[in-house]
Amino acid sequence: MAAAATDDLVAREFADACAELDPSAGATLRAVLFDEHLLVVVHHLCVDGVSWRILLPDLHAAWQAAASGQSIQLPRVGTSLRRWSQVLAEHAADPRTLDELPLWTAMLDGPRARIAARRLDPIRDTVGTARHLTLELSTSDVSDVLAGVPAAFRCGVQDVLLAAFAIAVRRRFGGPVVVDVEGHGRPDGPEWPVDLSRTVGWFTSIHPVRLDPGDVHRSDTTVALKRVKEQLRAVPDSGIGFGLLRYLNPQTRPVLAALPAPEVGFNYLGRVGPARDGWAPVLGGPQRPGAHLDTPLAHALELSAVAHDGPDGTRLAATWSWAADLVPEERVRELARDWFAALRALAAQARRPGAGGLTPSDLPLVRLVQDQIDDIEASFATAAPGLPVRDVWPLTPLQEGLLFHALTDVSPRDPYTVQLALDLDGPLREEALRDAARALLDRHDNLRAAFLQRASGPVQVVPARADLPWRRVDLRRVEPRARPETLRLLLERDRAERFALHRGPLLRMTLIVLDDDRHRLFITAHHLLLDGWSLPILVRELLAGYSGRAVPPPVPYRDYLAWLAAQDRVAARAAWRAALAGVEEPTLVAAHGGDERAPEAVHRQLPAETGAALHARVNALGVTLNTAVQAAWAMVLGQHTGRDDVVFGATVAVRPPETPELVGLCVNTIPVRVRLDPARTLAQTLAGIQEEQAALIAHRHLGLSESHRLSGHRRLFDTITVFENYPLPADELSSENGPRVTRVDGRGDTHYPLSLSAAHRDGLELTLRYRPGLSARPTGESVLARREGLLVAVVEDPGRLVGEVDLLSTEERGRLLSDWAGTAGGPGGPLPALFAAPGSPSPGGGGG
């Protein structure tokens, strides 16, 4: 049969099938089988566009099963249409839905462009009097409209089509336009506990939206697209709340019914794919039942668009329908031409290098307006040309402190440059290791971050990609006896090299070739990116990538930042205000921060038997080893400052318990306040410290600068303790398919003039770091000796009173008494402190 005759036959059968539909009698579906066609007609009350995407595959699967003699088994339906109707009624009365009423009244009220000569008349303006016009966009622009522009501007095709329509209306008629937008009406999210993925029905929702592209005559179309995109994103839940308030809630129904309805309706029907095993809709055939000719028109003008994938490419077809007595045909054609012109302009913009950009709705973790986002993107484009920005994040409280110090510290080296050195034995494929290192930046977005200080506040900028700085140094020609010193110089030079925080990435690696089968790998990063708990994870992933072993998907650092932002800051402020109440003055041991030379360190390893005994004792007392370390430091500070109420800093993990494999900076610096009562025992003191700290665990996320303010002091301390209980065992990092890790060395400092770290690995190792010019090395060693003495006292006699603990050796006591007698205060004044008297405070924040 000729194509024209077939079309005529299908059209007649279609009309007959529509006439037979009678929803009141339950007649909602008719099917007509031709030689090569199947006509399926379903009343619109029963199906929407999404339903056809369920019905047709099901029909195809059922046909295949029946044709092969198998039983027909289709996937189950999640939520029934009946249950969905009940959910809608419940949501119509929900207070959260009622809160949307001001949004919808503002959407419908107010000035707008007028397209029609008058309002719709239900008698005169009917389906029978409507006119129709179908046009197609040239195929050369369609791919950009459907893919290029949405990708560049992080939006949907519907956003692009509506932005172009708003631009066309603004240029042709002036002012914003209010459009009724059709949606699929199938929301998702935690507030909608339903599964509608296989539910068939008429779910279509319609909601108004006010689109104002701005001054399209002075700005380019991309500015208009960003504006319209944000206006569409401001609609909650894809607009389903409007229908609930307009039709299902008796209180709000008359309010919205009294407001002027939109003149324009818009519907993007999506993209129709190619045939599936010979099954495909006939594009020229009937698509939906025709309404009765006397049916009143819902809008003076309607625009429906659909994309068709065919052998000659993708076509975008637009059908314009309008009330003939209200809108002249020439006006519709002009508007259609303007719409296509706007689409072509957007397509041309998307083809330009660096096109696109972020808008506020793309960045839910930060509060930025479009001008601020544009400023950040422009600044980063200058620092790192050719790297588009993927995301913008806030900083954690500790990151803010670290960034402050990095930007204000004028010393040659940044103390927060963290370094890890791995000794690798065995054959090594250098290019494979480098590829595995690069993959870490692809895997973890936060490892690509750069940090910017803008007028709107500090942010971390995450580019779409980044190249890992990789260096290779061959020492095979260096004399073996000279290699240790050469390695030391290389290590120090690498740590001394500052990162460009505004450009990133703040991670680099250096591979040192010692022999054919011996290498050393330097992993150097800024503390802004990583904490100590992240390092073993990062090394394991590096070696797994080298060996070709799969690793679980990473925990996005972005999710961690969202979790951190959701914590209760009000409760945290109250807890810290109470914890720090009554602190009369800061606990400061240094008049200045020392000179600009690298920090010096003294180490002390507790004897194995002492470490084991201490571990057993704290377990028996029901406290942690960290608590014992903090108690010892508090007593040392109390003796040096002559106070019984001391405060020092401590680095603590702030990690959700369900995400132990998170790579990033997930620590914070918090104040630790210890009141030393000479009448209490050591055991009671430890228990009190642990109890107070346990009460603050849920509030450790609060920033240190805010804790300072709550205490009423600009800063509270200038010493810090770090308890390192994260594992870095070389044998656990090695793998069968890669080189053997024989040694792991880590290095990191703080800006504090005095910091003490305790590492519990093979026993307990104490390290005191201090700035040169602050104290002499023998003094630092005496401080560690006192701490060791106090820890031994905890082991030997936890019932001893704090006031009975003497941490001074006979030599130290004689020296201090001699100095004391020679001071201006003379006998009767306080014992002189170990360090110089406190001077002007330095900036707070940071650490850890």
Side-chain angles (χ1 to χ4, degrees):
M1 184 181 294
T6 301
D7 291 343
D8 290 342
L9 177 60
V10 172
R12 290 196 301 271
E13 293 295 335
F14 172 66
D16 292 343
C18 289
E20 294 176 5
L21 298 180
D22 185 1
S24 62
T28 57
L29 183 148
R30 290 291 182 269
V32 181
L33 180 62
F34 302 86
D35 290 337
E36 296 180 354
H37 297 85
L38 174 65
L39 174 64
V40 181
V41 180
V42 185
H43 199 282
H44 204 358
L45 283 172
C46 298
V47 293
D48 55 14
V50 176
S51 295
W52 284 113
R53 298 172 188 175
I54 302 169
L55 288 173
L56 293 182
D58 279 3
L59 180 59
H60 183 261
W63 170 76
Q64 282 188 317
S68 59
Q70 300 176 357
S71 61
I72 299 175
Q73 295 181 348
L74 299 177
R76 62 179 295 273
V77 175
T79 301
S80 68
L81 186 62
R82 182 178 185 275
R83 175 56 190 150
W84 174 239
S85 301
Q86 295 171 339
V87 170
L88 288 177
E90 294 165 1
H91 273 260
D94 192 300
R96 290 171 296 182
T97 305
L98 294 173
D99 289 342
E100 295 181 17
L101 183 61
L103 169 75
W104 298 118
T105 54
M107 201 81 74
L108 292 172
D109 208 359
R112 65 181 76 176
R114 303 297 303 182
I115 296 176
R118 55 173 173 78
R119 290 190 176 184
L120 285 168
D121 185 331
I123 304 299
R124 297 169 55 187
D125 304 315
T126 63
V127 170
T129 64
R131 299 289 301 276
H132 308 280
L133 174 67
T134 299
L135 302 171
E136 287 188 355
L137 186 66
S138 60
T139 55
S140 59
D141 296 311
V142 170
S143 61
D144 289 314
V145 170
L146 300 182
V149 180
F153 292 91
R154 296 196 185 187
C155 60
V157 175
Q158 179 166 279
D159 301 333
V160 178
L161 302 180
L162 281 170
F165 182 77
I167 293 171
V169 171
R170 183 69 182 243
R171 287 175 173 169
R172 183 63 55 180
F173 302 102
V177 60
V178 181
V179 182
D180 262 342
V181 178
E182 285 198 31
H184 54 68
R186 299 169 188 250
D188 53 14
E191 66 276 17
W192 297 95
V194 293
D195 176 12
L196 303 174
S197 59
R198 286 193 43 77
T199 308
V200 172
W202 190 12
F203 289 85
T204 303
S205 65
I206 300 178
H207 69 275
V209 62
R210 178 177 291 268
L211 304 179
D212 186 357
D215 190 350
V216 295
H217 297 286
R218 294 187 178 183
S219 60
D220 61 36
T221 53
T222 61
V223 175
L225 173 56
K226 290 180 178 181
R227 285 176 58 96
V228 170
K229 170 189 167 183
E230 288 303 295
Q231 292 159 11
L232 293 170
R233 292 291 184 277
V235 176
D237 253 342
S238 301
I240 196 171
F242 175 79
L244 301 181
L245 297 175
R246 173 63 180 83
Y247 300 105
L248 294 185
N249 189 302
Q251 283 74 41
T252 58
R253 182 192 304 143
V255 176
L256 294 175
L259 297 173
E263 289 184 312
V264 181
F266 176 86
N267 186 17
Y268 175 56
L269 300 171
R271 194 164 181 169
V272 180
R276 176 184 176 183
D277 295 335
W279 287 52
V282 178
L283 302 186
Q287 299 295 303
R288 56 184 173 180
H292 194 278
L293 297 180
D294 292 336
T295 303
L297 292 174
H299 304 97
L301 176 67
E302 289 189 352
L303 171 58
S304 297
V306 62
H308 300 297
D309 289 333
D312 57 344
T314 303
R315 295 177 289 147
L316 180 67
T319 297
W320 301 78
S321 303
W322 67 95
D325 289 344
L326 291 182
V327 185
E329 180 175 345
E330 184 56 32
R331 180 176 299 178
V332 175
R333 290 185 176 274
E334 291 172 349
L335 187 60
R337 286 194 293 268
D338 290 345
W339 185 57
F340 277 173
L343 289 175
R344 293 189 184 99
L346 288 171
Q349 290 282 350
R351 288 191 287 265
R352 295 180 179 178
L358 301 167
T359 61
S361 63
D362 297 322
L363 310 174
L365 298 183
V366 291
R367 295 182 178 180
L368 298 172
V369 299
Q370 190 62 56
D371 287 346
Q372 293 170 329
I373 295 172
D374 294 342
D375 172 62
I376 290 171
E377 289 180 321
S379 178
F380 187 73
T382 301
L387 294 180
V389 176
R390 173 175 289 178
D391 214 339
V392 179
W393 297 340
L395 274 62
T396 70
L398 181 55
Q399 283 178 322
E400 290 187 13
L402 296 177
L403 182 62
F404 172 82
H405 283 285
L407 296 178
T408 58
D409 186 6
V410 296
S411 60
R413 63 177 65 226
D414 189 331
Y416 292 104
T417 298
V418 181
Q419 193 175 59
L420 193 68
L422 306 176
D423 281 359
L424 307 175
D425 282 9
L428 180 70
R429 293 174 287 114
E430 296 181 21
E431 194 59 34
L433 184 64
R434 183 175 184 178
D435 290 343
R438 288 169 174 165
L440 293 176
L441 269 65
D442 296 333
R443 176 177 168 82
H444 299 282
D445 290 349
N446 53 306
L447 296 185
R448 303 192 300 270
F451 292 79
L452 302 182
Q453 179 68 55
R454 314 305 297 166
S456 54
V459 293
Q460 46 185 321
V461 178
V462 181
R465 62 183 184 279
D467 293 326
L468 175 71
W470 178 275
R471 298 167 182 167
R472 181 183 186 275
V473 180
D474 195 333
L475 297 184
R476 284 177 291 187
R477 295 186 178 182
V478 176
E479 289 291 332
R481 61 184 179 182
R483 288 182 186 176
E485 178 63 13
T486 303
L487 275 173
R488 188 190 68 79
L489 292 175
L490 286 172
L491 198 68
E492 288 300 319
R493 189 179 305 164
D494 184 68
R495 283 202 73 237
E497 182 180 344
R498 281 180 172 263
F499 285 100
L501 303 183
H502 67 293
R503 183 172 61 247
L506 311 187
L507 174 69
R508 60 177 176 261
M509 296 191 189
T510 303
L511 182 66
I512 310 295
V513 183
L514 300 173
D515 287 308
D516 291 345
D517 291 341
R518 290 182 58 241
H519 299 77
R520 176 166 289 187
L521 179 66
F522 297 163
I523 302 176
T524 308
H526 198 283
H527 197 16
L528 281 162
L529 294 188
L530 298 166
D531 56 27
W533 284 268
S534 300
L535 291 175
I537 304 171
L538 199 69
V539 173
R540 284 196 296 268
E541 291 184 358
L542 172 66
L543 297 180
Y546 172 86
S547 302
R549 291 181 287 111
V551 291
V555 179
Y557 192 68
R558 189 180 195 270
D559 292 353
Y560 171 75
L561 294 174
W563 172 86
L564 197 62
Q567 301 308 297
D568 191 340
R569 294 176 63 87
V570 174
R573 292 189 190 103
W576 283 108
R577 187 180 290 110
L580 300 173
V583 174
E584 295 182 357
E585 58 182 333
T587 303
L588 306 176
V589 301
H592 53 80
D595 57 36
E596 295 182 354
R597 287 175 292 169
E600 295 183 2
V602 290
H603 306 275
R604 197 173 186 91
Q605 179 80 37
L606 264 67
E609 60 274 13
T610 303
L614 178 62
H615 197 270
R617 176 63 72 185
V618 296
N619 284 340
L621 294 174
V623 299
T624 65
L625 195 57
N626 185 30
T627 299
V629 171
Q630 290 182 344
W633 187 243
M635 295 181 68
V636 171
L637 285 179
Q639 186 177 58
H640 291 335
T641 59
R643 299 174 188 159
D644 58 9
D645 189 356
V646 298
V647 184
F648 56 91
T651 299
V652 295
V654 185
R655 285 172 171 253
E658 65 275 10
T659 56
E661 293 297 300
L662 180 61
V663 171
L665 185 66
C666 307
V667 296
N668 196 17
T669 300
I670 63 169
V672 177
R673 182 187 188 184
V674 178
R675 281 159 282 205
L676 299 168
D677 185 349
R680 300 188 77 188
T681 66
L682 291 175
Q684 290 171 331
T685 301
L686 264 64
I689 294 174
Q690 179 149 313
E691 182 179 354
E692 292 180 4
Q693 289 301 302
L696 292 169
I697 288 178
H699 311 296
R700 288 176 170 178
H701 56 85
L702 197 70
L704 182 58
S705 59
E706 195 161 3
S707 299
H708 288 328
R709 289 194 297 269
L710 293 171
S711 73
H713 300 283
R714 182 181 175 187
R715 66 170 179 163
L716 288 167
F717 53 83
D718 63 356
T719 68
I720 188 172
T721 64
V722 181
F723 189 78
E724 300 176 356
N725 60 355
Y726 46 86
L728 272 175
D731 56 342
E732 292 186 12
L733 297 176
S734 301
S735 62
E736 295 181 359
N737 299 326
R740 186 166 59 93
V741 181
T742 58
R743 182 182 176 185
V744 181
D745 289 326
R747 178 71 185 275
D749 295 322
T750 75
H751 74 281
Y752 290 95
L754 192 65
S755 64
L756 185 136
S757 62
H760 182 231
R761 296 186 184 108
D762 298 327
L764 186 64
E765 180 182 343
L766 303 176
T767 301
L768 183 73
R769 290 187 174 88
Y770 57 91
R771 297 287 173 181
L774 174 67
S775 176
R777 183 179 182 89
T779 305
E781 291 177 342
S782 68
V783 171
L784 287 186
R786 293 178 196 181
R787 288 207 48 178
E788 181 182 350
L790 195 140
L791 293 173
V792 170
V794 171
V795 173
E796 295 178 346
D797 187 7
R800 186 185 305 182
L801 297 179
V802 170
E804 297 176 351
V805 177
D806 187 3
L807 301 180
L808 294 179
S809 65
T810 302
E811 180 182 351
E812 287 177 321
R813 181 171 295 280
R815 179 175 58 82
L816 288 175
L817 287 174
S818 175
D819 292 343
W820 177 50
T823 60
L831 279 173
L834 176 64
F835 302 101
S840 302
S842 61

mmCIF file of all heavy atoms in Angstrom, residues 685-710:
data_model
loop_
_atom_site.group_PDB
_atom_site.id
_atom_site.type_symbol
_atom_site.label_atom_id
_atom_site.label_comp_id
_atom_site.label_asym_id
_atom_site.label_seq_id
_atom_site.Cartn_x
_atom_site.Cartn_y
_atom_site.Cartn_z
ATOM 1 N N THR A 685 42.192 13.181 88.327
ATOM 2 C CA THR A 685 42.452 14.230 87.330
ATOM 3 C C THR A 685 42.260 13.691 85.922
ATOM 4 O O THR A 685 41.632 14.333 85.070
ATOM 5 C CB THR A 685 43.874 14.787 87.503
ATOM 6 O OG1 THR A 685 44.021 15.322 88.820
ATOM 7 C CG2 THR A 685 44.158 15.871 86.471
ATOM 8 N N LEU A 686 42.790 12.492 85.662
ATOM 9 C CA LEU A 686 42.622 11.886 84.337
ATOM 10 C C LEU A 686 41.149 11.639 84.037
ATOM 11 O O LEU A 686 40.681 11.923 82.922
ATOM 12 C CB LEU A 686 43.401 10.579 84.259
ATOM 13 C CG LEU A 686 44.813 10.648 83.646
ATOM 14 C CD1 LEU A 686 45.731 11.509 84.509
ATOM 15 C CD2 LEU A 686 45.412 9.258 83.492
ATOM 16 N N ALA A 687 40.435 11.123 85.003
ATOM 17 C CA ALA A 687 39.014 10.847 84.789
ATOM 18 C C ALA A 687 38.239 12.135 84.514
ATOM 19 O O ALA A 687 37.337 12.165 83.663
ATOM 20 C CB ALA A 687 38.435 10.124 86.005
ATOM 21 N N GLY A 688 38.597 13.210 85.225
ATOM 22 C CA GLY A 688 37.916 14.485 85.000
ATOM 23 C C GLY A 688 38.177 15.049 83.623
ATOM 24 O O GLY A 688 37.266 15.557 82.949
ATOM 25 N N ILE A 689 39.433 14.962 83.160
ATOM 26 C CA ILE A 689 39.770 15.448 81.814
ATOM 27 C C ILE A 689 38.990 14.670 80.767
ATOM 28 O O ILE A 689 38.400 15.258 79.844
ATOM 29 C CB ILE A 689 41.285 15.333 81.569
ATOM 30 C CG1 ILE A 689 42.053 16.279 82.485
ATOM 31 C CG2 ILE A 689 41.606 15.621 80.102
ATOM 32 C CD1 ILE A 689 43.550 16.113 82.410
ATOM 33 N N GLN A 690 38.980 13.334 80.913
ATOM 34 C CA GLN A 690 38.287 12.532 79.907
ATOM 35 C C GLN A 690 36.791 12.812 79.913
ATOM 36 O O GLN A 690 36.163 12.870 78.853
ATOM 37 C CB GLN A 690 38.547 11.048 80.148
ATOM 38 C CG GLN A 690 37.835 10.150 79.154
ATOM 39 C CD GLN A 690 38.575 8.877 78.877
ATOM 40 O OE1 GLN A 690 39.787 8.894 78.632
ATOM 41 N NE2 GLN A 690 37.877 7.767 78.905
ATOM 42 N N GLU A 691 36.210 12.981 81.089
ATOM 43 C CA GLU A 691 34.773 13.243 81.167
ATOM 44 C C GLU A 691 34.415 14.568 80.495
ATOM 45 O O GLU A 691 33.434 14.662 79.753
ATOM 46 C CB GLU A 691 34.342 13.256 82.630
ATOM 47 C CG GLU A 691 32.848 13.484 82.827
ATOM 48 C CD GLU A 691 32.451 13.473 84.284
ATOM 49 O OE1 GLU A 691 33.309 13.169 85.151
ATOM 50 O OE2 GLU A 691 31.274 13.784 84.576
ATOM 51 N N GLU A 692 35.224 15.582 80.749
ATOM 52 C CA GLU A 692 34.947 16.888 80.151
ATOM 53 C C GLU A 692 35.133 16.851 78.636
ATOM 54 O O GLU A 692 34.351 17.451 77.888
ATOM 55 C CB GLU A 692 35.845 17.948 80.791
ATOM 56 C CG GLU A 692 35.507 18.234 82.250
ATOM 57 C CD GLU A 692 36.428 19.291 82.852
ATOM 58 O OE1 GLU A 692 37.264 19.839 82.096
ATOM 59 O OE2 GLU A 692 36.308 19.573 84.060
ATOM 60 N N GLN A 693 36.169 16.154 78.189
ATOM 61 C CA GLN A 693 36.397 16.075 76.749
ATOM 62 C C GLN A 693 35.331 15.234 76.052
ATOM 63 O O GLN A 693 34.926 15.535 74.921
ATOM 64 C CB GLN A 693 37.780 15.505 76.477
ATOM 65 C CG GLN A 693 38.919 16.458 76.829
ATOM 66 C CD GLN A 693 38.840 17.757 76.061
ATOM 67 O OE1 GLN A 693 38.843 17.778 74.841
ATOM 68 N NE2 GLN A 693 38.741 18.865 76.786
ATOM 69 N N ALA A 694 34.870 14.179 76.707
ATOM 70 C CA ALA A 694 33.829 13.345 76.111
ATOM 71 C C ALA A 694 32.540 14.136 75.917
ATOM 72 O O ALA A 694 31.814 13.936 74.934
ATOM 73 C CB ALA A 694 33.570 12.117 76.988
ATOM 74 N N ALA A 695 32.257 15.052 76.841
ATOM 75 C CA ALA A 695 31.040 15.862 76.717
ATOM 76 C C ALA A 695 31.114 16.819 75.541
ATOM 77 O O ALA A 695 30.068 17.327 75.083
ATOM 78 C CB ALA A 695 30.810 16.639 78.017
ATOM 79 N N LEU A 696 32.319 17.053 75.037
ATOM 80 C CA LEU A 696 32.493 18.007 73.932
ATOM 81 C C LEU A 696 32.691 17.321 72.590
ATOM 82 O O LEU A 696 32.872 18.004 71.575
ATOM 83 C CB LEU A 696 33.697 18.911 74.222
ATOM 84 C CG LEU A 696 33.536 19.883 75.399
ATOM 85 C CD1 LEU A 696 34.868 20.510 75.758
ATOM 86 C CD2 LEU A 696 32.506 20.960 75.069
ATOM 87 N N ILE A 697 32.669 15.988 72.551
ATOM 88 C CA ILE A 697 32.943 15.282 71.294
ATOM 89 C C ILE A 697 31.989 15.715 70.192
ATOM 90 O O ILE A 697 32.394 15.937 69.042
ATOM 91 C CB ILE A 697 32.870 13.751 71.524
ATOM 92 C CG1 ILE A 697 34.076 13.274 72.316
ATOM 93 C CG2 ILE A 697 32.800 13.017 70.176
ATOM 94 C CD1 ILE A 697 34.054 11.791 72.636
ATOM 95 N N ALA A 698 30.713 15.853 70.515
ATOM 96 C CA ALA A 698 29.724 16.222 69.496
ATOM 97 C C ALA A 698 29.875 17.657 69.028
ATOM 98 O O ALA A 698 29.219 18.061 68.063
ATOM 99 C CB ALA A 698 28.314 15.996 70.037
ATOM 100 N N HIS A 699 30.727 18.435 69.690
ATOM 101 C CA HIS A 699 30.846 19.863 69.381
ATOM 102 C C HIS A 699 32.250 20.240 68.904
ATOM 103 O O HIS A 699 32.598 21.421 68.859
ATOM 104 C CB HIS A 699 30.486 20.685 70.616
ATOM 105 C CG HIS A 699 29.205 20.270 71.265
ATOM 106 N ND1 HIS A 699 27.982 20.380 70.637
ATOM 107 C CD2 HIS A 699 28.957 19.708 72.485
ATOM 108 C CE1 HIS A 699 27.030 19.913 71.435
ATOM 109 N NE2 HIS A 699 27.592 19.496 72.559
ATOM 110 N N ARG A 700 33.043 19.238 68.529
ATOM 111 C CA ARG A 700 34.412 19.513 68.107
ATOM 112 C C ARG A 700 34.508 20.199 66.755
ATOM 113 O O ARG A 700 35.588 20.606 66.339
ATOM 114 C CB ARG A 700 35.205 18.191 68.059
ATOM 115 C CG ARG A 700 35.535 17.620 69.421
ATOM 116 C CD ARG A 700 36.232 16.277 69.282
ATOM 117 N NE ARG A 700 36.783 15.805 70.544
ATOM 118 C CZ ARG A 700 37.402 14.654 70.703
ATOM 119 N NH1 ARG A 700 37.562 13.848 69.646
ATOM 120 N NH2 ARG A 700 37.880 14.299 71.874
ATOM 121 N N HIS A 701 33.405 20.297 66.062
ATOM 122 C CA HIS A 701 33.420 20.897 64.728
ATOM 123 C C HIS A 701 33.505 22.411 64.761
ATOM 124 O O HIS A 701 33.777 23.049 63.734
ATOM 125 C CB HIS A 701 32.156 20.483 63.964
ATOM 126 C CG HIS A 701 30.885 20.821 64.691
ATOM 127 N ND1 HIS A 701 30.283 22.045 64.604
ATOM 128 C CD2 HIS A 701 30.125 20.084 65.546
ATOM 129 C CE1 HIS A 701 29.189 22.055 65.347
ATOM 130 N NE2 HIS A 701 29.066 20.879 65.932
ATOM 131 N N LEU A 702 33.257 23.018 65.915
ATOM 132 C CA LEU A 702 33.252 24.480 65.986
ATOM 133 C C LEU A 702 34.653 25.023 65.764
ATOM 134 O O LEU A 702 35.643 24.476 66.270
ATOM 135 C CB LEU A 702 32.717 24.932 67.347
ATOM 136 C CG LEU A 702 32.280 26.404 67.413
ATOM 137 C CD1 LEU A 702 31.014 26.625 66.601
ATOM 138 C CD2 LEU A 702 32.067 26.847 68.853
ATOM 139 N N GLY A 703 34.753 26.133 65.027
ATOM 140 C CA GLY A 703 36.045 26.713 64.707
ATOM 141 C C GLY A 703 36.753 27.263 65.925
ATOM 142 O O GLY A 703 36.130 27.746 66.882
ATOM 143 N N LEU A 704 38.083 27.204 65.899
ATOM 144 C CA LEU A 704 38.878 27.669 67.027
ATOM 145 C C LEU A 704 38.702 29.165 67.255
ATOM 146 O O LEU A 704 38.632 29.619 68.404
ATOM 147 C CB LEU A 704 40.350 27.333 66.786
ATOM 148 C CG LEU A 704 41.325 27.707 67.900
ATOM 149 C CD1 LEU A 704 40.943 27.029 69.208
ATOM 150 C CD2 LEU A 704 42.757 27.351 67.510
ATOM 151 N N SER A 705 38.654 29.938 66.182
ATOM 152 C CA SER A 705 38.488 31.381 66.355
ATOM 153 C C SER A 705 37.183 31.702 67.067
ATOM 154 O O SER A 705 37.102 32.633 67.879
ATOM 155 C CB SER A 705 38.535 32.080 64.994
ATOM 156 O OG SER A 705 37.509 31.587 64.148
ATOM 157 N N GLU A 706 36.141 30.912 66.792
ATOM 158 C CA GLU A 706 34.871 31.132 67.467
ATOM 159 C C GLU A 706 34.963 30.725 68.937
ATOM 160 O O GLU A 706 34.372 31.374 69.812
ATOM 161 C CB GLU A 706 33.754 30.355 66.766
ATOM 162 C CG GLU A 706 32.371 30.794 67.170
ATOM 163 C CD GLU A 706 31.296 30.378 66.175
ATOM 164 O OE1 GLU A 706 31.624 29.696 65.193
ATOM 165 O OE2 GLU A 706 30.138 30.753 66.389
ATOM 166 N N SER A 707 35.699 29.679 69.227
ATOM 167 C CA SER A 707 35.908 29.292 70.623
ATOM 168 C C SER A 707 36.636 30.392 71.381
ATOM 169 O O SER A 707 36.320 30.682 72.540
ATOM 170 C CB SER A 707 36.712 27.990 70.694
ATOM 171 O OG SER A 707 36.027 26.937 70.061
ATOM 172 N N HIS A 708 37.617 31.003 70.742
ATOM 173 C CA HIS A 708 38.313 32.127 71.364
ATOM 174 C C HIS A 708 37.333 33.230 71.725
ATOM 175 O O HIS A 708 37.349 33.765 72.843
ATOM 176 C CB HIS A 708 39.381 32.678 70.422
ATOM 177 C CG HIS A 708 40.575 31.790 70.263
ATOM 178 N ND1 HIS A 708 41.043 30.982 71.261
ATOM 179 C CD2 HIS A 708 41.408 31.589 69.210
ATOM 180 C CE1 HIS A 708 42.110 30.326 70.844
ATOM 181 N NE2 HIS A 708 42.351 30.665 69.590
ATOM 182 N N ARG A 709 36.488 33.604 70.785
ATOM 183 C CA ARG A 709 35.529 34.690 71.039
ATOM 184 C C ARG A 709 34.591 34.343 72.187
ATOM 185 O O ARG A 709 34.249 35.192 73.009
ATOM 186 C CB ARG A 709 34.731 34.988 69.772
ATOM 187 C CG ARG A 709 35.536 35.680 68.677
ATOM 188 C CD ARG A 709 34.629 36.245 67.596
ATOM 189 N NE ARG A 709 33.902 35.209 66.912
ATOM 190 C CZ ARG A 709 34.344 34.603 65.809
ATOM 191 N NH1 ARG A 709 35.525 34.914 65.311
ATOM 192 N NH2 ARG A 709 33.624 33.664 65.217
ATOM 193 N N LEU A 710 34.147 33.083 72.227
ATOM 194 C CA LEU A 710 33.235 32.677 73.295
ATOM 195 C C LEU A 710 33.902 32.754 74.663
ATOM 196 O O LEU A 710 33.214 32.959 75.672
ATOM 197 C CB LEU A 710 32.738 31.246 73.032
ATOM 198 C CG LEU A 710 31.835 31.062 71.807
ATOM 199 C CD1 LEU A 710 31.605 29.582 71.542
ATOM 200 C CD2 LEU A 710 30.502 31.773 72.011
#
